[in-house]
Amino acid sequence: MARRLRLMRIGQTALKTKAALLAAAVLCLPDPARAGPADTYYERAFMVAADQRCGLFEARIDAALGAAAAQARGAALRSGAAEADLSATAARARSRAHAVSCQDPQLATARSRVDDAFSGWLRTPRMSFPGERGDWTANRMRSAGPGWRLKQTSVVGASPVAFGYAGQGDAQDMVAVVSFVGRSRPNAARIVLRDPTRVPRAWLAGEGLVPASSRASLWAAGVAPAERELLAEGRRAGEVWRFPASTAAALERLDPRETFAIEFHFRDGSVATAKFEAGDFAAGRAFLAMGLI
């Protein structure tokens, strides 16, 4: 009898451990009220890892889950979590996801809950991803003409600047649109940001940029008159500067709290600088990956 009781206790402990492994998945909702930022990131990282291993979701839900995980990571960093701690959190989530059978009935339950939770995102045409100083706004609505898909706004002097993804239909480029006051126009533009090969850790000194000796540069590939739909309100003309596709990967490597800038270079040697916040760029980009509606 004593041996049977011990076996029963062992079995109950195993079931509790198994349930704990899947608790994150059950709680993985777009707006979980019960979890703190770091807990929310763990939960979403768990489901991302389980999805990658088991192929739980179709592509659009997968993109929505990726957006939610990136958003949760940004929220955790802004709440004070250390980047190293979040890396460890993601590693624990992946480890636990790999310990769960893809045929586990509780994982199937979690999959159903995630499908229900994120199905609303599939019908959401627009979303804002708030930052500490600047927001990214995403737009998945189809339009007859060109428009912004993902955008953050800034200024240089009295001139409005917008940066992000813009295009028509499924064709999207990474661009900066600026309407300079006066006749002078720049002849070159570049994005400057932290070079992770020189400074591996996030640069969070005030609201400034990383020192010039530790910056990477991404030069615009060309410039053209901006379409009316891309101009700031009240502006009749402006220029659109197009940046290489590799820009997106460079921005996603930044800490959400970091600053990057667009420099506009003039023939007389002067430089006009517009600052932006990395923020939840990765989450906004994943939201766009769900496709236009």
Side-chain angles (χ1 to χ4, degrees):
M1 178 64 71
R3 182 173 181 273
R4 182 178 297 178
L5 287 173
R6 284 197 301 271
L7 290 174
M8 288 177 63
R9 291 192 188 101
I10 291 171
Q12 289 170 351
T13 301
L15 287 174
K16 289 179 181 179
T17 301
K18 183 179 179 183
L21 293 175
L22 294 172
V26 174
L27 293 173
C28 187
L29 303 175
D31 187 20
R34 291 173 291 178
D39 297 326
T40 301
Y41 177 57
Y42 172 85
E43 294 159 6
R44 293 173 180 176
F46 176 95
M47 284 308 298
V48 167
D51 177 35
Q52 291 173 345
R53 176 170 172 252
C54 302
L56 301 177
F57 307 109
E58 54 105 352
R60 294 188 303 161
I61 293 290
D62 181 68
L65 186 58
Q71 191 177 27
R73 181 178 180 274
L77 285 167
R78 286 190 288 269
S79 73
E83 189 172 4
D85 291 341
L86 291 182
S87 295
T89 295
R92 288 198 306 273
R94 289 191 297 270
S95 177
R96 291 199 170 189
H98 280 268
V100 176
S101 169
C102 293
Q103 285 72 46
D104 192 292
Q106 292 189 49
L107 188 59
T109 299
R111 173 185 178 180
S112 177
R113 293 191 179 187
V114 170
D115 273 327
D116 291 342
F118 286 103
S119 62
W121 278 36
L122 300 182
R123 300 186 297 272
T124 300
R126 298 180 181 85
M127 185 167 287
S128 177
F129 297 88
E132 293 181 337
R133 302 180 303 277
D135 300 347
W136 289 99
T137 56
N139 178 12
R140 297 172 53 227
M141 284 292 293
R142 291 189 179 275
S143 59
W148 285 103
R149 293 302 176 199
L150 183 63
K151 178 177 70 170
Q152 186 177 145
T153 60
S154 183
V155 293
V156 51
S159 304
V161 185
F163 173 74
Y165 277 109
Q168 185 170 355
D170 294 321
Q172 302 167 14
D173 294 319
M174 183 147 280
V175 304
V177 174
V178 58
S179 297
F180 276 106
V181 176
R183 293 186 177 182
S184 181
R185 294 292 182 271
N187 63 341
R190 68 172 180 170
I191 294 173
V192 292
L193 68 171
R194 175 175 59 87
D195 185 343
T197 64
R198 298 175 182 176
V199 182
R201 293 180 181 274
W203 183 267
L204 303 176
E207 297 183 11
L209 289 165
V210 67
S213 60
S214 302
R215 295 177 189 173
S217 297
L218 297 162
W219 289 92
V223 62
E227 295 90 340
R228 177 179 55 81
E229 293 85 351
L230 303 183
L231 297 174
E233 185 177 357
R235 303 290 170 158
R236 297 183 178 181
E239 293 76 44
V240 54
W241 294 85
R242 286 181 166 78
F243 290 89
S246 59
T247 303
L251 291 179
E252 289 189 347
R253 285 193 291 269
L254 296 178
D255 184 289
R257 297 164 292 178
E258 284 190 88
T259 299
F260 68 96
I262 301 178
E263 293 181 347
F264 298 97
H265 293 250
F266 293 80
R267 298 185 191 279
D268 63 2
S270 61
V271 178
T273 301
K275 292 183 179 180
F276 294 84
E277 183 183 21
D280 287 334
F281 171 78
R285 191 180 180 206
F287 179 74
L288 291 185
M290 294 162 58
L292 301 181
I293 57 177

